[in-house]
């Protein structure tokens, strides 16, 4: 059973005095195979998902209680209120949210010039955050595959949150790893989704050039109490082994990898995804990745059950810096169908057609997209040999 460093939930809370924050050891959240829930987590049939009305796992309880305390202590750049939300009319089902404060108050992105840029200790990085921003250290028990290769992951608040419970998963920050996806980081990101009993807890990754704002390895995790189109979008197989699919019916056709849950199948998925992201990084191709509970590949519908984990990978044009004046910036959550909008005017006027146009403007030109697809199919074929 997943347990905190000392089985009391309050071990994730900071002591009352700020002077004690730095002296307090970072608590561990240790989990094993039995804590990873692969099946039975579904959206309620009536209301789609108020966060606090759904069952909580020990992981959810630890994250949410510690995150809520940091809100009360004022450790965020702004106090996140209930965000005005609308489902854009149309076939896609975009979830648009008005988040003015994030657009105004988030930290300015670092200057990035390459998808393969080296880590720079002089720039902002997660070794420079305040002690109170760390919630806990995510650690795996020895019974899990790949444990010998694991990195311990710090779970840190995102001080400019997109939504409730928005955290960063940071593997061993003292190592100074650049923003390039590693197997251990992806493994624990996928397992974080399986540790949660909320169907709307998702994890994602932005590469450099894919709107990562800090060049220090991290993934995002957050709760969104709404279904997203990537959970159930149909797909077509791209390789004979059925390991790689192409999502269909969405503005941004992504590469879909799927696993029913823990075990060799999940380890194989992690290996395939990281081989794909290594290829993209080595060829200076920006990318975004999104992890969510979802339906199996193939013909699906919005009512399809969430039977496993979908990992969706998008190759895209590089974009260095934030584009001002647009309703939203296109990164991991926007490609998945969640649109945090910066201004009230854009929120009230945004249409599905305008959102699709912004997203498709970030996609690779068709010839390059076909080249990438062929290369990834070839990578999957090499694995079969």
């Amino acid at each position: 059973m997943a347990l905190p460093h000392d089985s009391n939930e309050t071990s994730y809370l900071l002591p009352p005095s700020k002077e004690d924050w730095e002296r307090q050891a970072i608590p561990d959240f240790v989990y094993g195979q039995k804590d990873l829930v692969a099946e039975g987590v579904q959206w309620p049939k009536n209301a789609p998902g108020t966060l606090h009305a759904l069952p909580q796992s020990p992981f959810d309880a630890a994250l949410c209680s510690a995150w809520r305390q940091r809100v009360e202590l004022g450790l965020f750049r702004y106090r996140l209120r209930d965000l005005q939300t609308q489902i854009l009319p149309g076939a896609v089902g975009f979830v648009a949210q008005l988040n003015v404060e994030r657009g105004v108050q988030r930290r300015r992105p670092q200057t990035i010039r390459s998808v393969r840029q080296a880590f720079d200790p002089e720039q902002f990085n997660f070794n420079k955050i305040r002690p109170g921003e760390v919630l806990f250290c995510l650690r795996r028990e020895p019974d899990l595959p790949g444990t010998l290769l694991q990195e311990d992951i710090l779970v840190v608040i995102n001080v400019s949150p997109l939504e409730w419970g928005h955290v960063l998963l940071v593997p061993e920050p003292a190592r100074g790893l650049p923003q390039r996806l590693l197997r251990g980081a992806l493994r624990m990101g996928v397992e974080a989704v399986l540790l949660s009993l909320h169907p709307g807890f998702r994890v994602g990754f932005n590469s450099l050039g894919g709107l990562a704002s800090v060049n220090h390895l991290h993934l995002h995790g957050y709760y969104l109490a709404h279904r997203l189109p990537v959970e159930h979008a149909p797909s077509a197989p791209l390789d004979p082994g059925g390991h790689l699919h192409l999502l269909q019916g969405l503005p941004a056709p992504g590469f879909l990898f799927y696993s029913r849950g823990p075990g060799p199948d999940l380890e194989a998925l992690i290996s395939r995804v990281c081989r794909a992201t290594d290829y993209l990084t080595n060829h200076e191709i920006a990318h975004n990745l999104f992890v969510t509970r979802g339906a199996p590949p193939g013909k699906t519908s919005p009512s399809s059950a969430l039977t496993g984990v979908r990992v969706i990978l998008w190759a895209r044009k590089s974009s260095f810096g934030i584009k001002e004046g647009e309703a939203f910036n296109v990164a991991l959550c926007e490609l998945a169908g969640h649109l945090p909008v910066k201004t009230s005017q854009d929120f009230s006027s945004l249409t599905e057609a305008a959102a699709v146009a912004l997203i498709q403007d970030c996609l690779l030109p068709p010839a390059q997209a076909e080249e990438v697809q062929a290369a990834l199919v070839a990578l999957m074929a090499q694995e079969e040999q």
Side-chain angles (χ1 to χ4, degrees), residues 225-240:
H226 294 274
R227 304 172 194 264
L228 289 175
V230 291
E231 294 174 16
H232 52 72
S235 63
L238 293 176
D239 68 315

Side-chain angles (χ1 to χ4, degrees), residues 40-51 54-55 95 197-202 222-232 290 292-295 302-307:
V41 177
Q42 305 294 332
W43 288 106
K45 290 183 179 178
N46 303 325
T50 44
L51 174 61
L54 293 172
V95 179
L197 290 180
H198 195 296
F201 182 76
R202 282 86 170 211
Y222 71 103
Y223 295 92
L224 178 69
H226 294 274
R227 304 172 194 264
L228 289 175
V230 291
E231 294 174 16
H232 52 72
F290 197 78
T292 183
R293 293 183 184 271
S303 61
S304 296
L306 310 180
T307 56

Side-chain angles (χ1 to χ4, degrees), residues 110 118-128 173-174 176 215-216:
Q110 294 174 4
F119 173 77
D120 181 356
E122 299 303 314
Q123 296 285 331
F124 170 79
N125 62 76
F126 301 113
N127 295 310
K128 300 182 179 184
N215 185 16
H216 193 185

Side-chain angles (χ1 to χ4, degrees), residues 99-343:
N99 193 336
V100 175
E101 289 172 302
R102 178 173 167 83
V104 172
Q105 298 195 39
R106 66 176 298 191
R107 182 182 288 109
R108 296 294 301 173
Q110 294 174 4
T111 300
I112 304 294
R113 297 184 177 86
S114 167
V115 177
R116 295 179 289 172
Q117 191 161 309
F119 173 77
D120 181 356
E122 299 303 314
Q123 296 285 331
F124 170 79
N125 62 76
F126 301 113
N127 295 310
K128 300 182 179 184
I129 62 175
R130 297 167 293 178
E133 295 178 26
V134 181
L135 303 184
F136 50 81
C137 180
L138 199 56
R139 305 192 66 183
R140 309 166 85 239
E141 288 181 347
D143 67 334
L144 281 164
T147 298
L148 294 177
L149 306 174
Q150 77 164 333
E151 296 98 353
D152 291 341
I153 304 279
L154 290 188
V155 179
V156 176
I157 63 170
N158 188 322
V159 295
S160 302
L162 284 166
E163 247 290 8
W164 177 265
H166 188 175
V167 292
L168 304 175
L169 310 178
V170 185
E172 299 185 1
R175 292 175 62 190
L177 299 168
Q179 184 67 349
R180 177 172 183 153
L181 192 61
L182 298 178
R183 283 167 172 76
L186 176 60
R187 180 184 294 111
M188 292 187 88
V190 172
E191 289 177 352
V193 169
L194 294 172
L195 283 170
S196 174
L197 290 180
H198 195 296
F201 182 76
R202 282 86 170 211
V203 166
F205 172 85
N206 296 321
S207 80
L208 301 179
L211 264 62
S213 59
V214 176
N215 185 16
H216 193 185
L217 181 56
H218 65 285
L219 288 79
H220 293 260
Y222 71 103
Y223 295 92
L224 178 69
H226 294 274
R227 304 172 194 264
L228 289 175
V230 291
E231 294 174 16
H232 52 72
S235 63
L238 293 176
D239 68 315
H243 302 312
L244 182 67
H245 289 72
L246 188 68
L247 281 187
Q248 299 177 322
L250 296 177
F255 298 107
L256 171 63
F257 304 80
Y258 175 82
S259 171
R260 285 194 169 271
D265 182 52
L266 185 58
E267 287 299 304
L269 174 146
I270 289 161
S271 176
R272 292 182 193 113
V273 172
C274 286
R275 290 174 70 196
T277 57
D278 283 348
Y279 170 86
L280 296 174
T281 302
N282 292 338
H283 288 79
E284 199 65 38
I285 299 169
H287 47 281
N288 306 95
L289 178 142
F290 197 78
V291 184
T292 183
R293 293 183 184 271
K299 294 181 180 179
T300 56
S301 72
S303 61
S304 296
L306 310 180
T307 56
V309 174
R310 284 185 163 204
V311 178
I312 303 103
L313 174 65
W314 293 274
R316 44 91 54 84
K317 293 177 187 173
S318 290
S319 177
F320 298 115
I322 295 295
K323 293 183 179 179
E324 304 294 348
E326 295 183 342
F328 57 84
N329 298 307
V330 179
L332 65 93
C333 58
E334 292 81 3
L335 288 164
H338 173 210
L339 312 178
V341 181
K342 304 174 192 174
T343 69

Side-chain angles (χ1 to χ4, degrees), residues 16-76:
S17 172
K18 282 188 179 181
E19 287 72 25
D20 294 331
W21 293 0
E22 197 157 351
R23 291 194 291 270
Q24 177 173 283
I26 296 171
D28 290 337
F29 185 94
V30 182
Y31 66 94
Q33 182 100 13
K34 57 189 172 297
D35 300 300
L36 302 177
V37 181
E39 297 181 358
V41 177
Q42 305 294 332
W43 288 106
K45 290 183 179 178
N46 303 325
T50 44
L51 174 61
H52 306 293
L54 293 172
Q56 284 194 328
S57 67
F59 173 80
D60 295 316
L63 192 158
C64 291
S65 64
W67 203 89
R68 185 182 298 109
Q69 186 208 31
R70 272 53 168 197
V71 171
E72 297 303 324
L73 291 171
L75 291 178
F76 292 83

